[in-house]
Amino acid sequence: AQKITQTQPGMFVQEKEAVTLDCTYDTSDPSYGLFWYKQPSSGEMIFLIYQGSYDQQNATEGRYSLNFQKARKSANLVISASQLGDSAMYFCAMRATSGTYKYIFGTGTRLKVLA
Amino acid sequence: DSGVTQTPKHLITATGQRVTLRCSPRSGDLSVYWYQQSLDQGLQFLIQYYNGEERAKGNILERFSAQQFPDLHSELNLSSLELGDSALYFCASSVEGRLAGKTDTQYFGPGTRLTVL
């Protein structure tokens, strides 16, 4: 069965520091995609970054990077130089090519950036 | 702005009623997905349509149904509403919907907040 696990329900980080949000996944499918989304208090879900299972390099999008360790089945999101506007809920998600094509979401990590 | 539109933004109704939520995907996207987000259940996948056909089904109740029309907009129908159906309902769209590549990235609409009294 496919599964996403986010073990940190909440985290604090000081403004301008880097923070890592953990995500582990489980799938037997060799081809899959990993996604991170941000949900601010306003409620919308914002796509941040994508990593494919066959990508050789870790994905980066501005201040966001994904620390992809395939053997450990982890896809941690790293936010550099945190800003107050980064305070939000962050969800890790996975989609595999086999099975029912469903997106699987983790339970999320609530990040609070401190001034 | 993701380019996905959902109407209405808020909906307040009574138990036993029926409502319809509407979603217009981003231009060029063929797949539409529906999710339910409640406080105690997290983000629950309900159903996916790809180019008018149902592609995947999640934890969608029998009281709920959806369809995708030829112009690719989608509607989620919720009937015999119960208090527990109160939640934020998201629609998302993606270019593809059959693979796991970047074209399967889902872009979410702003959501419809449903309150059942």
Side-chain angles (χ1 to χ4, degrees):
Chain A
Q2 295 162 3
K3 190 178 178 181
I4 289 279
T5 302
Q6 294 180 256
T7 58
Q8 307 153 311
M11 288 193 69
F12 291 95
V13 65
Q14 207 63 38
E15 197 178 8
K16 299 180 185 177
E17 292 187 349
V19 62
T20 299
L21 307 183
D22 294 342
C23 172
T24 58
Y25 61 91
D26 189 20
T27 181
S28 56
D29 199 313
S31 179
Y32 51 89
L34 297 157
F35 306 79
W36 276 91
Y37 290 86
K38 171 184 178 182
Q39 187 176 35
S41 57
S42 51
E44 72 268 32
M45 292 282 285
I46 303 166
F47 166 69
L48 295 178
I49 196 166
Y50 163 84
Q51 179 83 44
S53 59
Y54 293 118
D55 292 344
Q56 296 295 314
Q57 293 190 327
N58 287 340
T60 60
E61 293 283 351
R63 294 186 299 110
Y64 304 108
S65 61
L66 204 152
N67 184 1
F68 181 47
Q69 298 187 40
K70 195 170 183 177
R72 296 182 60 186
K73 293 189 174 179
S74 74
N76 299 337
L77 177 71
V78 181
I79 306 175
S80 63
S82 296
Q83 302 171 356
L84 295 177
D86 294 333
S87 294
M89 193 75 162
Y90 289 82
F91 291 95
C92 179
M94 176 178 69
R95 182 187 182 96
T97 55
S98 65
T100 58
Y101 304 102
K102 290 188 295 185
Y103 256 65
I104 309 293
F105 278 82
T107 52
T109 295
R110 186 170 298 281
L111 177 68
K112 174 71 174 176
V113 180
L114 304 173
Chain B
D1 186 351
S2 67
V4 179
T5 60
Q6 287 187 250
T7 56
K9 285 190 175 179
H10 302 276
L11 200 48
I12 301 174
T13 188
T15 54
Q17 295 298 305
R18 172 190 168 97
V19 297
T20 297
L21 313 184
R22 183 187 167 100
C23 168
S24 292
R26 295 185 320 157
S27 177
D29 285 1
L30 296 177
S31 265
V32 169
Y33 311 76
W34 286 97
Y35 290 88
Q36 179 192 59
Q37 187 179 37
S38 53
L39 286 174
D40 58 346
Q41 295 269 335
L43 199 64
Q44 297 291 318
F45 168 74
L46 296 178
I47 198 163
Q48 177 200 356
Y49 282 84
Y50 176 79
N51 204 19
E53 294 187 1
E54 182 183 304
R55 172 150 294 276
K57 215 166 186 176
N59 303 318
I60 188 166
L61 300 172
E62 284 191 11
R63 301 184 285 109
F64 297 0
S65 64
Q67 55 183 327
Q68 186 179 29
F69 295 87
D71 67 352
L72 301 178
H73 92 271
S74 178
E75 292 180 357
L76 178 67
N77 299 296
L78 315 176
S79 62
S80 303
L81 285 167
E82 302 175 359
L83 296 177
D85 297 328
S86 295
L88 186 56
Y89 290 84
F90 283 110
C91 168
S93 72
S94 67
V95 174
E96 262 291 339
R98 299 172 293 178
L99 304 172
K102 200 166 186 180
T103 52
D104 274 80
T105 298
Q106 295 184 30
Y107 293 89
F108 283 74
T112 293
R113 184 164 295 282
L114 174 67
T115 302
V116 182
L117 302 176

